[in-house]
Amino acid sequence: SSHGADGMFVLSVCVQTLMLSMLVLSGAGSAITGIGGVLSGEQDMDGINRLLNSIFKVIMVGMAVVSVVVFLFPGMIANLFGATGHLLGFSEKPLRIFSLIFIPIGLVIPLSNLFVLLNRNMLASLVNVGLLVCLLPAVWLMSTIAPDDIWYAMPCGMWVLMGLCIAATCVISSRHKGLHWLFLTKTVPDDSNR
């Protein structure tokens, strides 16, 4: 079955909510590449690691708060975009499901910026391509096998991508001693600079 105009309204609310969070993530990405670039130029790896810890903690707490607010008060979010009556009730379940996207996207997008800073361009490209590779097939699959549950597609795709990102950084860091398990920044002094 199709959700029709109601479904399109809810989808637009989801996308607009996501775009608002992307503004915050864009600012965090700018801080990573800007301040992190200066620290990297000074070879201050300890400073970079402290910066990244601070930024990622703020991002994850912020995304968790957004996720909880959307999950607990989906009607309030839908009402902000003009939903009333039947549409307000219809919006609740999809928005609760969609609230699960904020935590993984809050990790994946800043990681992509970080990989660019660290000249890990292949990894950054894979993350960016992964956004499409994980999301589009998930949406297509859900629309084919369970169209009424299509709302699960984007959050599931993002959790898969986050899992793949974490797995990739863990594998890389395990093969190169002295790298942070997630950030892939040096955690010990580089002997070659001594």
Side-chain angles (χ1 to χ4, degrees), residues 23-35 55 59 109-110 113-114 117:
L23 288 174
V24 176
L25 295 177
S26 175
S30 296
I32 289 172
T33 53
I35 302 170
I55 289 176
I59 289 171
I109 299 298
N113 292 110
L114 174 59
L117 172 68

Side-chain angles (χ1 to χ4, degrees), residues 165-181:
C165 286
I166 292 173
T169 59
C170 286
V171 168
I172 293 170
S173 63
S174 70
R175 292 180 177 173
H176 299 86
K177 186 179 177 183
L179 290 184
H180 189 280
W181 70 272

Side-chain angles (χ1 to χ4, degrees), residues 36-76:
V38 171
L39 294 172
S40 179
E42 296 173 351
Q43 297 295 308
D44 184 0
M45 295 313 295
D46 184 53
I48 289 177
N49 286 323
R50 282 186 281 125
L51 172 72
L52 294 175
N53 278 321
S54 298
I55 289 176
F56 274 84
K57 280 178 186 173
V58 170
I59 289 171
M60 296 316 292
V61 169
M63 290 296 108
V65 168
V66 171
S67 186
V68 168
V69 168
V70 174
F71 185 84
L72 293 178
F73 308 106
M76 179 185 74

Side-chain angles (χ1 to χ4, degrees), residues 78-178:
N79 186 253
L80 288 174
F81 291 92
T84 56
H86 160 75
L87 195 53
L88 203 57
F90 177 80
S91 301
E92 289 194 0
K93 181 184 175 183
L95 285 174
R96 282 200 169 105
I97 295 167
F98 192 76
S99 71
L100 301 173
I101 201 172
F102 296 105
I103 289 175
I105 208 163
L107 183 70
V108 169
I109 299 298
L111 274 181
S112 175
N113 292 110
L114 174 59
F115 295 150
V116 170
L117 172 68
L118 298 176
N119 290 320
R120 293 186 176 273
N121 297 321
M122 178 65 75
L123 201 51
S125 297
L126 289 174
V127 172
N128 290 328
V129 170
L131 285 167
L132 294 176
V133 171
C134 289
L135 291 181
L136 293 181
V139 171
W140 174 81
L141 185 64
M142 290 304 293
S143 68
T144 303
I145 63 172
D148 288 338
D149 295 321
I150 196 168
W151 313 110
Y152 289 96
M154 290 178 70
C156 287
M158 282 308 305
W159 279 94
V160 167
L161 180 57
M162 183 179 77
L164 292 173
C165 286
I166 292 173
T169 59
C170 286
V171 168
I172 293 170
S173 63
S174 70
R175 292 180 177 173
H176 299 86
K177 186 179 177 183

